[in-house]
Amino acid sequence: MSASPNLLERVGRATARGIAEIGFGASLLGESLFWLVLGRARRQPVRLPAIFDQAMEIGIRALPIVTVLAGTIGVMLAIQGIYSLRPFGAESRVTTGIALSVVREFAPLITGILVAGRSGSALAARLGTMHINQEVDALRVMGINPVRFLVVPALLAMLVMVPALTLWADFVALLGAGLYVSGELSMSLAVYAERCLESLKLNDLTHGLSKSAIFAMLITLVGVVNGASVSGGAEGVGRVTTRSVVHAISAIVVTDMIFVFAVTR
Amino acid sequence: MSPDRPNPIEVRDLVTHYGDRLILKGVSLDVREGEIMVIMGGSGSGKSTFLNHLLGLLRPTSGVVRLLGQDINAIGPLDLFDLRKKMGVAFQGGALFSSMSVGENIMLPLREHTNLDEKTMQIMARLKMEVVELAGFEHLMPAELSGGMIKRAALARAIVMDPRLLFCDEPSAGLDPVVSSSIDELILRLRDAMGMTIVVVTHELESAFKIADRICVLDKGEIIALGSVDEIRAHPSERVQNLLNRRTEDVTLDADAYLRRLTGEG
Ligand SMILES: Nc1ncnc2c1ncn2[C@@H]1O[C@H](COP(=O)(O)OP(=O)(O)O)[C@@H](O)[C@H]1O
Ligand SMILES: [Mg+2]
């Protein structure tokens, strides 16, 4: 009977929770910077091996799947590009469209989504499990700051590996598209490469890579915020894991749009 | 106790809430140097909450917790950091890091807080594993350990820095009687060998009577009895005796109140 006050209340609660989580994410980022800069002075340095471990997991292990998806997307873009230019008889101009859309949009986006699904969820699950098993409490009573020990290594690894993977995805997607184009349009791979490079400016590359760095940060913070908010045992861990993937991908897509809107017009 | 040397653990009028719900209703307790204090009470009496406040994991509404003479809710982060190196905690479920081997888990505090070389740290970790009778198991992962072994490994990690204060949450809960009593003996040995001040939280009577120098009985967020094992055993209070004899309270059932509860009225 009283559906609307109920609905209002639920919307209100969800909004309050969202704002609290964004605030938590922002303070985590600040605290991470603090430990990164002042950790050594506080006798709590951020350890390099921990960063390498994370970088292996987030970056190197993701290489095969990034390669496959980037190549596939390159071919798909080539097919669609040629199809859309055919009515104008301008198929040979397809390189510009491919080069720009891969480097500015598709490579960062697909890499971000992939890492969110692979590593953002894993981060949320790992932190959530540690939280429930009192491992986070154990760190605190040992005098080991959990943000310094768990969050900073993951954040740094993400900030290095996501742009690196994006650069690799740029290369693979352009190569995949090139292979298709050279077969379809009797354009040699060398000419294709030359035209790609002509249509790309440094700005396009930095546009894509800056976005991927922002995505890296979003994925980490969303994963950590969700992992830290877990309650209710193993089932709770499953819930926050799913939630973190959905949130991270939404954050990536929305941020992408805002970034493009602010920078490109 | 000489007046110039404060008790290692002093709690004064500790009041705590979860949200609006009052949990601890003004708890005061002193733990003396080198004694084993057992905090006992039924499930939900507030034992874990009390322990978490002793460890500085939660902030009280009011009241003071002083460890080794320092008010843990008032000192700066660097002092707290130094204080934490002098205390060890064995959590109920062990709280071993599942991504590290048992040996790595035990070495972690050394790795983080000392500049010892790898070899020395390994030797120190092995020494503590000998103490808890886990020698030779350092390469196993926590998932490969039995319940009793997890508790032992957690104890080894808790004492690896030779702390002055040791806290154990339900060290013998969920273990079979033989393993459980061997953990009790281990705790006694630790105190005798290292002179640590030890706080043990438990709801197991036998274990409490076996290891305690003094027992503090917590019920519904209040200390209802405090004293030696014999004093607690002979305590005149009915609430204490109910707890010792595992009788539930409120056996005289108020039929009307019961009915009101069931129907959700009042
Ligand atoms: N995180 C929490 N949030 C809200 N209430 C809690 C929380 N933890 C414990 N409680 C409540 O506080 C009371 C004391 O719990 P606890 O300290 O865990 O008791 P014990 O360890 O003696 O079983 C219980 O009624 C419990 O429901
Ligand atoms: Mg408890």
mmCIF file of all heavy atoms in Angstrom, chain B residues 193-238:
data_model
loop_
_atom_site.group_PDB
_atom_site.id
_atom_site.type_symbol
_atom_site.label_atom_id
_atom_site.label_comp_id
_atom_site.label_asym_id
_atom_site.label_seq_id
_atom_site.Cartn_x
_atom_site.Cartn_y
_atom_site.Cartn_z
ATOM 1 N N ALA B 193 57.848 -19.815 30.710
ATOM 2 C CA ALA B 193 59.147 -19.686 30.046
ATOM 3 C C ALA B 193 59.465 -18.233 29.701
ATOM 4 O O ALA B 193 60.602 -17.811 29.761
ATOM 5 C CB ALA B 193 59.185 -20.544 28.791
ATOM 6 N N MET B 194 58.458 -17.468 29.325
ATOM 7 C CA MET B 194 58.737 -16.135 28.807
ATOM 8 C C MET B 194 58.216 -15.020 29.707
ATOM 9 O O MET B 194 58.412 -13.847 29.400
ATOM 10 C CB MET B 194 58.142 -15.984 27.414
ATOM 11 C CG MET B 194 58.585 -17.093 26.464
ATOM 12 S SD MET B 194 58.161 -16.714 24.781
ATOM 13 C CE MET B 194 58.547 -18.255 23.978
ATOM 14 N N GLY B 195 57.510 -15.368 30.758
ATOM 15 C CA GLY B 195 57.041 -14.355 31.697
ATOM 16 C C GLY B 195 56.054 -13.369 31.104
ATOM 17 O O GLY B 195 55.979 -12.227 31.554
ATOM 18 N N MET B 196 55.316 -13.820 30.102
ATOM 19 C CA MET B 196 54.374 -12.910 29.473
ATOM 20 C C MET B 196 53.129 -12.716 30.351
ATOM 21 O O MET B 196 52.777 -13.585 31.148
ATOM 22 C CB MET B 196 53.926 -13.473 28.123
ATOM 23 C CG MET B 196 54.979 -13.340 27.055
ATOM 24 S SD MET B 196 54.389 -13.925 25.486
ATOM 25 C CE MET B 196 54.535 -15.656 25.686
ATOM 26 N N THR B 197 52.483 -11.586 30.159
ATOM 27 C CA THR B 197 51.174 -11.361 30.748
ATOM 28 C C THR B 197 50.150 -11.812 29.708
ATOM 29 O O THR B 197 50.218 -11.378 28.561
ATOM 30 C CB THR B 197 50.984 -9.865 31.060
ATOM 31 O OG1 THR B 197 52.048 -9.456 31.920
ATOM 32 C CG2 THR B 197 49.642 -9.605 31.704
ATOM 33 N N ILE B 198 49.248 -12.683 30.107
ATOM 34 C CA ILE B 198 48.402 -13.326 29.105
ATOM 35 C C ILE B 198 46.919 -13.110 29.422
ATOM 36 O O ILE B 198 46.476 -13.281 30.562
ATOM 37 C CB ILE B 198 48.696 -14.839 29.023
ATOM 38 C CG1 ILE B 198 50.195 -15.054 28.711
ATOM 39 C CG2 ILE B 198 47.820 -15.493 27.965
ATOM 40 C CD1 ILE B 198 50.590 -16.499 28.561
ATOM 41 N N VAL B 199 46.160 -12.708 28.411
ATOM 42 C CA VAL B 199 44.707 -12.613 28.533
ATOM 43 C C VAL B 199 44.095 -13.654 27.611
ATOM 44 O O VAL B 199 44.393 -13.681 26.416
ATOM 45 C CB VAL B 199 44.203 -11.213 28.133
ATOM 46 C CG1 VAL B 199 42.679 -11.178 28.134
ATOM 47 C CG2 VAL B 199 44.750 -10.161 29.084
ATOM 48 N N VAL B 200 43.291 -14.532 28.185
ATOM 49 C CA VAL B 200 42.653 -15.567 27.385
ATOM 50 C C VAL B 200 41.139 -15.391 27.449
ATOM 51 O O VAL B 200 40.574 -15.271 28.532
ATOM 52 C CB VAL B 200 43.026 -16.976 27.896
ATOM 53 C CG1 VAL B 200 42.293 -18.048 27.109
ATOM 54 C CG2 VAL B 200 44.524 -17.200 27.823
ATOM 55 N N VAL B 201 40.504 -15.339 26.305
ATOM 56 C CA VAL B 201 39.054 -15.272 26.254
ATOM 57 C C VAL B 201 38.536 -16.662 25.956
ATOM 58 O O VAL B 201 39.001 -17.316 25.020
ATOM 59 C CB VAL B 201 38.602 -14.319 25.131
ATOM 60 C CG1 VAL B 201 37.118 -14.492 24.855
ATOM 61 C CG2 VAL B 201 38.905 -12.884 25.501
ATOM 62 N N THR B 202 37.623 -17.154 26.769
ATOM 63 C CA THR B 202 37.107 -18.489 26.485
ATOM 64 C C THR B 202 35.726 -18.680 27.093
ATOM 65 O O THR B 202 35.335 -17.970 28.015
ATOM 66 C CB THR B 202 38.048 -19.581 27.020
ATOM 67 O OG1 THR B 202 37.584 -20.850 26.591
ATOM 68 C CG2 THR B 202 38.107 -19.564 28.539
ATOM 69 N N HIS B 203 34.984 -19.632 26.542
ATOM 70 C CA HIS B 203 33.742 -19.997 27.213
ATOM 71 C C HIS B 203 33.834 -21.427 27.747
ATOM 72 O O HIS B 203 32.875 -21.964 28.282
ATOM 73 C CB HIS B 203 32.541 -19.836 26.262
ATOM 74 C CG HIS B 203 32.535 -20.816 25.146
ATOM 75 N ND1 HIS B 203 33.127 -20.567 23.937
ATOM 76 C CD2 HIS B 203 32.017 -22.053 25.062
ATOM 77 C CE1 HIS B 203 32.977 -21.606 23.155
ATOM 78 N NE2 HIS B 203 32.312 -22.524 23.807
ATOM 79 N N GLU B 204 35.032 -22.031 27.636
ATOM 80 C CA GLU B 204 35.216 -23.399 28.117
ATOM 81 C C GLU B 204 35.676 -23.397 29.573
ATOM 82 O O GLU B 204 36.761 -22.919 29.898
ATOM 83 C CB GLU B 204 36.264 -24.114 27.272
ATOM 84 C CG GLU B 204 36.087 -23.897 25.792
ATOM 85 C CD GLU B 204 35.806 -25.170 25.054
ATOM 86 O OE1 GLU B 204 36.359 -26.202 25.473
ATOM 87 O OE2 GLU B 204 35.049 -25.142 24.076
ATOM 88 N N LEU B 205 34.823 -23.958 30.447
ATOM 89 C CA LEU B 205 35.107 -23.904 31.875
ATOM 90 C C LEU B 205 36.381 -24.661 32.246
ATOM 91 O O LEU B 205 37.229 -24.143 32.966
ATOM 92 C CB LEU B 205 33.936 -24.511 32.650
ATOM 93 C CG LEU B 205 32.621 -23.762 32.550
ATOM 94 C CD1 LEU B 205 31.520 -24.559 33.222
ATOM 95 C CD2 LEU B 205 32.773 -22.410 33.213
ATOM 96 N N GLU B 206 36.495 -25.893 31.734
ATOM 97 C CA GLU B 206 37.649 -26.715 32.130
ATOM 98 C C GLU B 206 38.940 -26.015 31.808
ATOM 99 O O GLU B 206 39.844 -25.922 32.634
ATOM 100 C CB GLU B 206 37.605 -28.062 31.398
ATOM 101 C CG GLU B 206 36.683 -29.062 32.044
ATOM 102 C CD GLU B 206 35.896 -29.823 30.989
ATOM 103 O OE1 GLU B 206 36.523 -30.590 30.253
ATOM 104 O OE2 GLU B 206 34.675 -29.610 30.895
ATOM 105 N N SER B 207 38.992 -25.509 30.584
ATOM 106 C CA SER B 207 40.199 -24.820 30.150
ATOM 107 C C SER B 207 40.464 -23.602 31.025
ATOM 108 O O SER B 207 41.600 -23.361 31.452
ATOM 109 C CB SER B 207 40.013 -24.462 28.679
ATOM 110 O OG SER B 207 40.791 -23.381 28.339
ATOM 111 N N ALA B 208 39.416 -22.856 31.352
ATOM 112 C CA ALA B 208 39.580 -21.663 32.181
ATOM 113 C C ALA B 208 40.131 -22.034 33.553
ATOM 114 O O ALA B 208 41.083 -21.437 34.041
ATOM 115 C CB ALA B 208 38.251 -20.945 32.331
ATOM 116 N N PHE B 209 39.546 -23.063 34.184
ATOM 117 C CA PHE B 209 39.990 -23.462 35.520
ATOM 118 C C PHE B 209 41.418 -23.980 35.506
ATOM 119 O O PHE B 209 42.141 -23.877 36.477
ATOM 120 C CB PHE B 209 39.056 -24.536 36.091
ATOM 121 C CG PHE B 209 37.707 -23.982 36.473
ATOM 122 C CD1 PHE B 209 36.581 -24.785 36.461
ATOM 123 C CD2 PHE B 209 37.577 -22.651 36.846
ATOM 124 C CE1 PHE B 209 35.339 -24.271 36.820
ATOM 125 C CE2 PHE B 209 36.346 -22.140 37.205
ATOM 126 C CZ PHE B 209 35.220 -22.955 37.186
ATOM 127 N N LYS B 210 41.797 -24.561 34.366
ATOM 128 C CA LYS B 210 43.127 -25.171 34.300
ATOM 129 C C LYS B 210 44.233 -24.121 34.196
ATOM 130 O O LYS B 210 45.270 -24.243 34.848
ATOM 131 C CB LYS B 210 43.188 -26.106 33.098
ATOM 132 C CG LYS B 210 44.496 -26.834 32.953
ATOM 133 C CD LYS B 210 44.339 -27.963 31.951
ATOM 134 C CE LYS B 210 45.693 -28.533 31.563
ATOM 135 N NZ LYS B 210 45.584 -29.389 30.409
ATOM 136 N N ILE B 211 44.004 -23.078 33.376
ATOM 137 C CA ILE B 211 45.111 -22.173 33.107
ATOM 138 C C ILE B 211 45.067 -20.879 33.920
ATOM 139 O O ILE B 211 46.090 -20.232 34.075
ATOM 140 C CB ILE B 211 45.197 -21.815 31.605
ATOM 141 C CG1 ILE B 211 43.933 -21.110 31.138
ATOM 142 C CG2 ILE B 211 45.474 -23.045 30.791
ATOM 143 C CD1 ILE B 211 43.993 -20.710 29.679
ATOM 144 N N ALA B 212 43.893 -20.509 34.456
ATOM 145 C CA ALA B 212 43.758 -19.151 34.985
ATOM 146 C C ALA B 212 44.484 -18.938 36.306
ATOM 147 O O ALA B 212 44.499 -19.808 37.175
ATOM 148 C CB ALA B 212 42.282 -18.822 35.168
ATOM 149 N N ASP B 213 45.107 -17.771 36.450
ATOM 150 C CA ASP B 213 45.486 -17.290 37.769
ATOM 151 C C ASP B 213 44.283 -16.594 38.378
ATOM 152 O O ASP B 213 43.952 -16.786 39.529
ATOM 153 C CB ASP B 213 46.647 -16.306 37.676
ATOM 154 C CG ASP B 213 47.917 -17.001 37.240
ATOM 155 O OD1 ASP B 213 48.207 -18.078 37.774
ATOM 156 O OD2 ASP B 213 48.594 -16.477 36.348
ATOM 157 N N ARG B 214 43.638 -15.767 37.547
ATOM 158 C CA ARG B 214 42.390 -15.148 37.970
ATOM 159 C C ARG B 214 41.399 -15.242 36.829
ATOM 160 O O ARG B 214 41.770 -15.279 35.650
ATOM 161 C CB ARG B 214 42.615 -13.676 38.340
ATOM 162 C CG ARG B 214 43.352 -13.519 39.668
ATOM 163 C CD ARG B 214 43.241 -12.104 40.191
ATOM 164 N NE ARG B 214 43.801 -11.155 39.252
ATOM 165 C CZ ARG B 214 43.432 -9.875 39.207
ATOM 166 N NH1 ARG B 214 42.498 -9.407 40.014
ATOM 167 N NH2 ARG B 214 44.009 -9.058 38.333
ATOM 168 N N ILE B 215 40.134 -15.253 37.179
ATOM 169 C CA ILE B 215 39.075 -15.335 36.181
ATOM 170 C C ILE B 215 38.176 -14.108 36.318
ATOM 171 O O ILE B 215 37.888 -13.667 37.440
ATOM 172 C CB ILE B 215 38.223 -16.614 36.367
ATOM 173 C CG1 ILE B 215 39.089 -17.855 36.147
ATOM 174 C CG2 ILE B 215 37.023 -16.615 35.427
ATOM 175 C CD1 ILE B 215 38.346 -19.154 36.344
ATOM 176 N N CYS B 216 37.790 -13.576 35.176
ATOM 177 C CA CYS B 216 36.869 -12.455 35.182
ATOM 178 C C CYS B 216 35.625 -12.934 34.440
ATOM 179 O O CYS B 216 35.711 -13.364 33.301
ATOM 180 C CB CYS B 216 37.546 -11.287 34.474
ATOM 181 S SG CYS B 216 36.466 -10.134 33.689
ATOM 182 N N VAL B 217 34.486 -12.932 35.121
ATOM 183 C CA VAL B 217 33.266 -13.454 34.507
ATOM 184 C C VAL B 217 32.439 -12.306 33.953
ATOM 185 O O VAL B 217 32.056 -11.391 34.682
ATOM 186 C CB VAL B 217 32.427 -14.270 35.506
ATOM 187 C CG1 VAL B 217 31.198 -14.838 34.817
ATOM 188 C CG2 VAL B 217 33.262 -15.380 36.117
ATOM 189 N N LEU B 218 32.203 -12.374 32.680
ATOM 190 C CA LEU B 218 31.471 -11.316 31.998
ATOM 191 C C LEU B 218 30.068 -11.838 31.692
ATOM 192 O O LEU B 218 29.901 -12.976 31.251
ATOM 193 C CB LEU B 218 32.211 -11.008 30.690
ATOM 194 C CG LEU B 218 32.145 -9.613 30.093
ATOM 195 C CD1 LEU B 218 32.647 -8.598 31.092
ATOM 196 C CD2 LEU B 218 33.001 -9.566 28.834
ATOM 197 N N ASP B 219 29.066 -11.018 31.986
ATOM 198 C CA ASP B 219 27.708 -11.417 31.632
ATOM 199 C C ASP B 219 26.935 -10.182 31.217
ATOM 200 O O ASP B 219 26.906 -9.194 31.951
ATOM 201 C CB ASP B 219 27.046 -12.121 32.822
ATOM 202 C CG ASP B 219 25.712 -12.754 32.425
ATOM 203 O OD1 ASP B 219 25.622 -13.244 31.273
ATOM 204 O OD2 ASP B 219 24.786 -12.738 33.244
ATOM 205 N N LYS B 220 26.326 -10.230 30.052
ATOM 206 C CA LYS B 220 25.536 -9.118 29.528
ATOM 207 C C LYS B 220 26.283 -7.788 29.639
ATOM 208 O O LYS B 220 25.720 -6.761 30.040
ATOM 209 C CB LYS B 220 24.199 -9.017 30.254
ATOM 210 C CG LYS B 220 23.384 -10.304 30.182
ATOM 211 C CD LYS B 220 21.917 -10.053 30.453
ATOM 212 C CE LYS B 220 21.091 -11.312 30.325
ATOM 213 N NZ LYS B 220 20.816 -11.946 31.629
ATOM 214 N N GLY B 221 27.569 -7.814 29.313
ATOM 215 C CA GLY B 221 28.338 -6.575 29.255
ATOM 216 C C GLY B 221 28.808 -6.044 30.596
ATOM 217 O O GLY B 221 29.261 -4.906 30.677
ATOM 218 N N GLU B 222 28.681 -6.873 31.669
ATOM 219 C CA GLU B 222 29.161 -6.444 32.980
ATOM 220 C C GLU B 222 30.060 -7.519 33.574
ATOM 221 O O GLU B 222 29.857 -8.704 33.303
ATOM 222 C CB GLU B 222 27.985 -6.254 33.950
ATOM 223 C CG GLU B 222 27.101 -5.098 33.647
ATOM 224 C CD GLU B 222 25.864 -5.118 34.529
ATOM 225 O OE1 GLU B 222 25.239 -6.199 34.680
ATOM 226 O OE2 GLU B 222 25.534 -4.068 35.072
ATOM 227 N N ILE B 223 31.007 -7.087 34.402
ATOM 228 C CA ILE B 223 31.794 -8.065 35.155
ATOM 229 C C ILE B 223 30.993 -8.442 36.384
ATOM 230 O O ILE B 223 30.703 -7.595 37.228
ATOM 231 C CB ILE B 223 33.159 -7.478 35.557
ATOM 232 C CG1 ILE B 223 33.978 -7.209 34.302
ATOM 233 C CG2 ILE B 223 33.898 -8.448 36.476
ATOM 234 C CD1 ILE B 223 35.381 -6.718 34.574
ATOM 235 N N ILE B 224 30.590 -9.725 36.483
ATOM 236 C CA ILE B 224 29.782 -10.119 37.639
ATOM 237 C C ILE B 224 30.621 -10.828 38.683
ATOM 238 O O ILE B 224 30.159 -11.057 39.802
ATOM 239 C CB ILE B 224 28.578 -10.992 37.234
ATOM 240 C CG1 ILE B 224 29.031 -12.229 36.470
ATOM 241 C CG2 ILE B 224 27.592 -10.187 36.415
ATOM 242 C CD1 ILE B 224 27.899 -13.225 36.263
ATOM 243 N N ALA B 225 31.857 -11.209 38.323
ATOM 244 C CA ALA B 225 32.728 -11.822 39.327
ATOM 245 C C ALA B 225 34.158 -11.706 38.868
ATOM 246 O O ALA B 225 34.431 -11.716 37.672
ATOM 247 C CB ALA B 225 32.368 -13.292 39.520
ATOM 248 N N LEU B 226 35.064 -11.582 39.850
ATOM 249 C CA LEU B 226 36.478 -11.488 39.525
ATOM 250 C C LEU B 226 37.240 -12.102 40.674
ATOM 251 O O LEU B 226 37.038 -11.735 41.833
ATOM 252 C CB LEU B 226 36.872 -10.018 39.354
ATOM 253 C CG LEU B 226 38.348 -9.714 39.131
ATOM 254 C CD1 LEU B 226 38.804 -10.298 37.808
ATOM 255 C CD2 LEU B 226 38.593 -8.216 39.166
ATOM 256 N N GLY B 227 38.085 -13.080 40.362
ATOM 257 C CA GLY B 227 38.845 -13.678 41.452
ATOM 258 C C GLY B 227 39.614 -14.903 41.001
ATOM 259 O O GLY B 227 39.603 -15.253 39.824
ATOM 260 N N SER B 228 40.255 -15.560 41.991
ATOM 261 C CA SER B 228 41.023 -16.762 41.686
ATOM 262 C C SER B 228 40.062 -17.891 41.310
ATOM 263 O O SER B 228 38.850 -17.783 41.490
ATOM 264 C CB SER B 228 41.840 -17.171 42.900
ATOM 265 O OG SER B 228 40.942 -17.574 43.917
ATOM 266 N N VAL B 229 40.633 -18.985 40.814
ATOM 267 C CA VAL B 229 39.806 -20.117 40.396
ATOM 268 C C VAL B 229 38.920 -20.576 41.543
ATOM 269 O O VAL B 229 37.714 -20.792 41.367
ATOM 270 C CB VAL B 229 40.709 -21.265 39.905
ATOM 271 C CG1 VAL B 229 39.876 -22.513 39.637
ATOM 272 C CG2 VAL B 229 41.470 -20.853 38.662
ATOM 273 N N ASP B 230 39.507 -20.708 42.747
ATOM 274 C CA ASP B 230 38.729 -21.187 43.889
ATOM 275 C C ASP B 230 37.629 -20.200 44.265
ATOM 276 O O ASP B 230 36.508 -20.601 44.583
ATOM 277 C CB ASP B 230 39.651 -21.431 45.098
ATOM 278 C CG ASP B 230 40.589 -22.597 44.829
ATOM 279 O OD1 ASP B 230 40.205 -23.454 43.992
ATOM 280 O OD2 ASP B 230 41.679 -22.640 45.415
ATOM 281 N N GLU B 231 37.970 -18.909 44.220
ATOM 282 C CA GLU B 231 36.961 -17.897 44.549
ATOM 283 C C GLU B 231 35.786 -17.943 43.576
ATOM 284 O O GLU B 231 34.634 -17.817 43.971
ATOM 285 C CB GLU B 231 37.597 -16.494 44.532
ATOM 286 C CG GLU B 231 38.420 -16.191 45.777
ATOM 287 C CD GLU B 231 39.327 -14.990 45.595
ATOM 288 O OE1 GLU B 231 39.462 -14.501 44.449
ATOM 289 O OE2 GLU B 231 39.901 -14.538 46.577
ATOM 290 N N ILE B 232 36.095 -18.129 42.316
ATOM 291 C CA ILE B 232 35.009 -18.185 41.337
ATOM 292 C C ILE B 232 34.175 -19.440 41.541
ATOM 293 O O ILE B 232 32.948 -19.422 41.508
ATOM 294 C CB ILE B 232 35.574 -18.148 39.899
ATOM 295 C CG1 ILE B 232 36.272 -16.814 39.638
ATOM 296 C CG2 ILE B 232 34.474 -18.384 38.871
ATOM 297 C CD1 ILE B 232 35.366 -15.610 39.657
ATOM 298 N N ARG B 233 34.847 -20.555 41.790
ATOM 299 C CA ARG B 233 34.126 -21.823 42.004
ATOM 300 C C ARG B 233 33.151 -21.707 43.166
ATOM 301 O O ARG B 233 32.055 -22.252 43.125
ATOM 302 C CB ARG B 233 35.127 -22.938 42.315
ATOM 303 C CG ARG B 233 35.695 -23.580 41.074
ATOM 304 C CD ARG B 233 36.181 -24.992 41.448
ATOM 305 N NE ARG B 233 36.446 -25.768 40.259
ATOM 306 C CZ ARG B 233 37.666 -26.167 39.913
ATOM 307 N NH1 ARG B 233 38.713 -25.860 40.650
ATOM 308 N NH2 ARG B 233 37.830 -26.883 38.812
ATOM 309 N N ALA B 234 33.575 -20.979 44.214
ATOM 310 C CA ALA B 234 32.750 -20.885 45.425
ATOM 311 C C ALA B 234 31.938 -19.598 45.460
ATOM 312 O O ALA B 234 31.460 -19.190 46.510
ATOM 313 C CB ALA B 234 33.657 -20.966 46.654
ATOM 314 N N HIS B 235 31.795 -18.948 44.311
ATOM 315 C CA HIS B 235 31.152 -17.635 44.296
ATOM 316 C C HIS B 235 29.690 -17.721 44.709
ATOM 317 O O HIS B 235 28.964 -18.609 44.243
ATOM 318 C CB HIS B 235 31.274 -17.035 42.898
ATOM 319 C CG HIS B 235 31.179 -15.538 42.906
ATOM 320 N ND1 HIS B 235 29.976 -14.886 42.917
ATOM 321 C CD2 HIS B 235 32.132 -14.575 42.906
ATOM 322 C CE1 HIS B 235 30.184 -13.578 42.913
ATOM 323 N NE2 HIS B 235 31.501 -13.365 42.905
ATOM 324 N N PRO B 236 29.245 -16.832 45.601
ATOM 325 C CA PRO B 236 27.856 -16.916 46.094
ATOM 326 C C PRO B 236 26.799 -16.499 45.064
ATOM 327 O O PRO B 236 25.640 -16.902 45.179
ATOM 328 C CB PRO B 236 27.857 -15.948 47.287
ATOM 329 C CG PRO B 236 28.975 -14.995 47.010
ATOM 330 C CD PRO B 236 30.011 -15.760 46.266
ATOM 331 N N SER B 237 27.176 -15.700 44.059
ATOM 332 C CA SER B 237 26.167 -15.153 43.154
ATOM 333 C C SER B 237 25.505 -16.240 42.305
ATOM 334 O O SER B 237 26.153 -17.156 41.796
ATOM 335 C CB SER B 237 26.814 -14.114 42.228
ATOM 336 O OG SER B 237 26.176 -14.111 40.990
ATOM 337 N N GLU B 238 24.204 -16.102 42.163
ATOM 338 C CA GLU B 238 23.463 -17.116 41.414
ATOM 339 C C GLU B 238 23.807 -17.073 39.932
ATOM 340 O O GLU B 238 23.899 -18.109 39.270
ATOM 341 C CB GLU B 238 21.965 -16.883 41.615
ATOM 342 C CG GLU B 238 21.135 -18.080 41.203
ATOM 343 C CD GLU B 238 19.646 -17.780 41.305
ATOM 344 O OE1 GLU B 238 19.291 -16.759 41.963
ATOM 345 O OE2 GLU B 238 18.861 -18.532 40.740
#
